[in-house]
Amino acid sequence: LAKTTQPISMDSYEGQEVNITCSHNNIATNDYITWYQQFPSQGPRFIIQGYKTKVTNEVASLFIPADRKSSTLSLPRVSLSDTAVYYCLVGDNQGGKLIFGQGTELSVKP
Amino acid sequence: NAGVTQTPKFRVLKTGQSMTLLCAQDMNHEYMYWYRQDPGMGLRLIHYSVGEGTTAKGEVPDGYNVSRLKKQNFLLGLESAAPSQTSVYFCASSVRARAEAFFGQGTRLTVV
């Protein structure tokens, strides 16, 4: 399983775009990159998943460079309700393990 | 549409007592997981299952046992609770490998 490294915390203001980068230098060929969001006292919630280039959904975009050794979760025009912890997961999950790292605590201020 | 339901939501145990946490999912998912989350920390995988009748160890399995006798249920047991097991426990399920995982609301366990 590829180890991931994320910033421990980030601050932003309402209306700004937030980019959270995750490093995964030893990502394997079959590995996918998945991001989850967790609010206090709740279980994590799936945000987005990708393998290469760019993926976009109604919530976020995920940018993955050609070497796939890092990825960036982009949240457009954040609001106070986007204050949460964001986790980057890397793996193919073929063995069943779904491993979370430390996550990035995002604080959005008015 | 219940999704993933954990029982109970809160529990206080005395050291040495035993208990079982129940996770039930109604989505016909193959994969199920148990995590613990300590204050200010990320989730750590305790045990997981890739199908009915199967279980496997995660990152922190010591002191816990699990069973998956029915596809929809994943039980987590503490045979002799210790204060170090005070934590919030989350259960999750997914339809297959690499698919979106759905989480329960958590069980807050305190061992005194």
Side-chain angles (χ1 to χ4, degrees):
Chain A
L1 295 171
K3 179 179 171 59
T4 60
T5 302
Q6 305 174 233
I8 293 175
S9 63
M10 294 181 66
D11 291 331
S12 182
Y13 291 92
E14 283 190 292
Q16 290 187 332
E17 178 184 72
V18 171
N19 296 310
I20 305 174
T21 297
C22 178
S23 297
H24 28 80
N25 291 320
N26 58 342
I27 188 169
T29 302
N30 294 330
D31 286 345
Y32 277 67
I33 301 155
T34 310
W35 286 80
Y36 283 81
Q37 174 193 55
Q38 185 181 26
F39 296 114
S41 302
Q42 294 185 25
R45 183 181 69 171
F46 174 92
I47 301 176
I48 197 166
Q49 184 182 77
Y51 183 80
K52 62 180 179 181
T53 62
K54 177 183 174 182
V55 179
T56 298
N57 61 23
E58 65 277 7
V59 176
S61 294
L62 179 59
F63 298 92
I64 306 167
D67 66 6
R68 304 201 325 123
K69 293 185 182 299
S70 66
S71 58
T72 299
L73 175 72
S74 181
L75 305 172
R77 297 180 298 282
V78 295
S79 63
L80 296 176
S81 62
D82 291 316
T83 294
V85 178
Y86 293 82
Y87 295 96
C88 165
L89 284 72
V90 173
D92 62 4
N93 204 26
Q94 290 299 319
K97 289 186 176 181
L98 188 61
I99 302 295
F100 284 75
Q102 190 172 7
T104 297
E105 185 172 6
L106 174 65
S107 178
V108 180
K109 303 174 182 179
Chain B
N1 191 6
V4 178
T5 302
Q6 294 183 227
T7 307
K9 292 183 175 57
F10 303 93
R11 184 72 186 268
V12 178
L13 282 180
K14 293 182 179 180
T15 298
Q17 286 185 320
S18 63
M19 77 163 294
T20 300
L21 281 66
L22 170 64
C23 177
Q25 52 94 3
D26 61 1
M27 298 172 282
N28 201 34
H29 284 174
E30 291 292 336
Y31 290 68
M32 296 189 75
Y33 316 85
W34 273 109
Y35 294 89
R36 62 175 289 173
Q37 186 171 35
D38 300 326
M41 305 289 288
L43 286 83
R44 291 185 291 172
L45 182 64
I46 304 172
H47 286 281
Y48 63 99
S49 169
V50 299
E52 181 179 308
T54 76
T55 63
K57 294 180 179 180
E59 301 173 283
V60 289
D62 294 342
Y64 305 94
N65 56 77
V66 288
S67 64
R68 184 100 182 267
L69 299 180
K70 294 183 178 180
K71 186 177 183 178
Q72 63 268 33
N73 296 336
F74 196 28
L75 279 64
L76 177 70
L78 286 74
E79 292 185 347
S80 180
S84 61
Q85 294 178 304
T86 293
S87 189
V88 179
Y89 291 84
F90 287 102
C91 174
S93 71
S94 62
V95 63
R96 61 183 182 278
R98 207 174 59 229
E100 173 183 357
F102 294 83
F103 282 78
Q105 76 277 30
T107 296
R108 187 173 297 275
L109 175 66
T110 301
V111 182
V112 297

